[in-house]
């Protein structure tokens, strides 16, 4: 076991020859405009970092970097949840894996204060296990064009809900007001969070979402695609317990995919616990196979 402060750990992460077990001795942050660590080295002999209860404020793997497991600590984003920001920022991510990053694992990590707790694009072999996602977080994991994601045995709950806002000329603030009605009354409208615990899109494949306990004022998750996105492939959602407002599990263009043995419930704390059929817990399977799921609608409840 190698004992390391932030500076020593940065040196090790930059060295592709570094390997073995490290233990962090302090919280690591570079302020609101930088990730604590940016990793471009690939550790062919794996490197495991025991945070020992400490916090890393932003870690980004890019340009093929990886071969690292993070465990036993807290990860947040340099800008936190960023609700007061009108635009996005790369400093709203807790753990980011981009541009060929690979073989990255978070085990027994608590993700807090990050608009996107884990953001993944054009990466491979990303694993989030036995971890927690809570507090001011919009999406727990959002992934695009990535092969190999494991999201299992995690707990998601007590997420902060951020509805849309309308600020009227007299200073009053209204919530969940339609944009057109807000503008018609001379107000300034700001969109709310459209939170997904797991959001995958654009050709992402070989995904396992299993044995998670999820309770969210947003959406459970699934496929959230933009025009022109490639279909998903080999995505499995199974054996999860999900309380959500809407979109408990949704896949609509997913090849060789399965949604099985999930228990789906209405989110008990609102904001829309009893607002008609639109918010009934259900499976939207598209061309995926759905079976043995349990919900009020009985959609996808047949035998596997």
């Amino acid at each position: 076991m190698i004992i390391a402060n932030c500076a020593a750990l940065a040196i090790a992460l930059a060295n592709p020859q570094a390997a073995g077990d490290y233990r962090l001795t302090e919280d690591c942050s570079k302020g609101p405009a930088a990730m604590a660590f940016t990793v471009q080295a690939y550790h062919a002999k794996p490197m495991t970092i025991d945070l020992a209860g400490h916090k890393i404020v932003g870690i980004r793997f890019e340009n093929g970097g990886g071969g690292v497991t993070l465990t036993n600590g807290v990860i947040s984003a340099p800008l936190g949840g960023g609700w007061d920001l009108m635009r996005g920022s790369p400093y709203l991510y807790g753990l980011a894996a981009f541009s060929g990053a690979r073989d990255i694992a978070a085990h027994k990590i608590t993700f807090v204060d990050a608009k996107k707790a884990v953001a993944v694009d054009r990466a491979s072999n990303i694993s989030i296990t036995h971890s927690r996602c809570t507090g001011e977080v919009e999406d727990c994991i959002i992934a695009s064009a990535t092969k190999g994601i494991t999201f299992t045995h995690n707990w998601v709950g007590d997420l902060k809900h951020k509805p849309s806002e309308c600020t009227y000329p007299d200073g009053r603030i209204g919530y969940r007001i339609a944009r057109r009605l807000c503008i018609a009354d001379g107000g300034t409208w700001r969109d709310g969070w459209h939170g997904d615990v797991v959001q995958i899109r654009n050709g992402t494949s070989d995904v396992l979402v299993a044995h998670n306990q999820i309770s969210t004022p947003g959406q459970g998750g699934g496929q959230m695609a933009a025009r022109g996105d490639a279909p998903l492939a080999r995505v499995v959602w199974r054996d999860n317990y999900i309380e959500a407002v809407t979109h408990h599990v949704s896949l609509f263009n997913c090849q060789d995919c399965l949604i099985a043995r999930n228990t789906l419930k209405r989110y008990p704390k609102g904001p829309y616990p009893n607002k008609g059929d639109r918010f009934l817990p259900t499976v939207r399977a598209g061309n995926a196979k759905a079976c043995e799921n349990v919900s009020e609608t009985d959609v996808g409840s047949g035998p596997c």
Side-chain angles (χ1 to χ4, degrees):
M1 177 73 69
I2 299 171
I3 307 303
N5 62 14
C6 300
L9 184 58
I11 292 170
L13 286 167
N15 177 10
Q17 303 305 314
D21 297 331
Y22 287 72
R23 178 176 293 165
L24 188 61
T25 61
E26 60 185 350
D27 294 349
C28 299
S29 173
K30 290 184 178 179
M35 305 295 265
F37 300 105
T38 298
V39 183
Q40 298 185 344
Y42 181 75
H43 298 264
K45 295 182 179 179
M47 180 178 181
T48 297
I49 303 168
D50 182 353
L51 276 60
H54 295 294
K55 178 188 285 189
I56 290 176
V57 185
I59 181 165
R60 177 184 176 113
F61 296 86
E62 61 184 15
N63 298 334
V68 174
T69 295
L70 303 158
T71 188
N72 297 324
V74 178
I75 293 178
S76 64
L79 286 173
W83 177 243
D84 294 326
L85 298 175
M86 299 303 290
R87 291 190 298 241
S89 166
Y91 306 123
L92 292 170
Y93 307 142
L95 189 161
F98 297 151
S99 305
R102 57 198 170 112
D103 302 330
I104 299 157
H107 180 71
K108 296 184 178 179
I109 294 293
T110 296
F111 293 96
V112 296
D113 300 328
K115 187 172 185 182
K116 314 294 184 187
V118 180
V120 182
D121 182 53
R122 292 165 294 144
S124 60
N125 297 330
I126 308 299
S127 176
I128 312 296
T129 59
H130 294 275
S131 294
R132 297 169 66 88
C133 184
T134 189
E136 195 163 308
V137 174
E138 181 182 31
D139 298 319
C140 290
I141 180 169
I142 180 169
S144 173
T146 290
K147 180 179 175 63
I149 295 174
T150 300
F151 188 87
T152 62
H153 298 97
N154 300 299
W155 181 89
V156 179
D158 296 328
L159 297 176
K160 194 168 182 179
H161 176 63
K162 295 184 180 292
S164 60
E165 294 182 1
C166 178
T167 303
Y168 295 100
D170 61 5
R172 290 179 299 115
I173 298 177
Y175 298 98
R176 304 184 192 97
I177 308 297
R179 183 176 184 273
R180 60 182 178 81
L181 296 177
C182 175
I183 293 173
D185 289 337
T188 300
W189 187 82
R190 181 165 65 175
D191 199 5
W193 278 2
H194 301 270
D196 305 282
V197 173
V198 178
Q199 182 180 139
I200 47 180
R201 56 177 292 263
N202 195 23
T204 295
S205 65
D206 301 287
V207 177
L208 175 63
V209 182
H211 301 291
N212 300 291
Q213 295 284 324
I214 294 169
S215 182
T216 172
Q219 303 176 130
Q223 184 173 7
M224 303 293 172
R227 180 175 295 179
D229 276 5
L232 307 181
R234 298 176 299 282
V235 175
V236 175
W237 281 71
R238 62 171 174 83
D239 302 300
N240 300 286
Y241 178 88
I242 304 171
E243 296 175 350
V245 171
T246 186
H247 294 297
H248 288 66
V249 183
S250 294
L251 298 172
F252 56 88
N253 187 8
C254 192
Q255 307 299 320
D256 299 318
C257 298
L258 175 67
I259 304 170
R261 298 185 301 277
N262 301 285
T263 299
L264 312 178
K265 300 284 188 180
R266 298 182 191 224
Y267 182 65
K269 302 176 185 177
Y272 310 113
N274 296 296
K275 196 176 177 182
D277 291 345
R278 178 183 171 192
F279 298 101
L280 286 175
T282 192
V283 168
R284 294 174 173 85
N287 56 349
K289 180 178 182 179
C291 56
E292 297 182 5
N293 297 286
V294 178
S295 72
E296 292 179 40
T297 63
D298 289 330
V299 175
S301 62
C304 288

